[in-house]
């Protein structure tokens, strides 16, 4: 059980910015994209805003800080 908790803690420590970008920033960008006339969506969820949030999170992870 300790190994699982330690593994999860390491994952969050190393990939936290990426998850933040994907989930939080992607959700914010998704709300702003509702005003866009070109809506490519799957189940009313636009994929582009989440991909943009993921890219920003990956850039922040590899730069060591936010843009």
């Amino acid at each position: 059980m300790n190994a699982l908790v330690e593994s999860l803690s390491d994952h969050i420590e190393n990939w936290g910015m990426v998850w933040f970008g994907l989930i939080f920033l992607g959700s914010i960008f998704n709300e702003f994209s509702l005003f866009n006339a070109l809506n490519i969506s799957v189940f009313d969820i636009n994929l582009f805003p989440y991909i943009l949030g993921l890219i920003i999170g990956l850039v922040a992870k590899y730069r060591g800080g936010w843009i």
Side-chain angles (χ1 to χ4, degrees), residues 3-15:
L4 177 67
V5 172
E6 185 175 329
S7 173
L8 183 62
S9 175
D10 288 341
H11 177 78
I12 291 172
E13 184 177 320
N14 293 330
W15 291 93

Side-chain angles (χ1 to χ4, degrees), residues 1-4 7 11 18-19 21 26 29 35 38 40 43-44 48-51 54-55 59 63 65-66:
M1 188 65 169
N2 257 351
L4 177 67
S7 173
H11 177 78
V18 177
W19 284 112
F29 294 153
F35 302 114
L38 179 65
I40 301 171
F43 303 114
D44 294 330
F48 178 72
Y50 289 99
I51 292 171
L54 177 66
I55 290 170
V59 167
R63 284 187 66 208
W66 291 102

Side-chain angles (χ1 to χ4, degrees), residues 17-22 25 52-62 66:
M17 286 188 214
V18 177
W19 284 112
F20 180 82
L22 176 67
L25 294 177
L52 182 62
L54 177 66
I55 290 170
I56 291 173
L58 285 170
V59 167
K61 179 188 181 326
Y62 290 114
W66 291 102

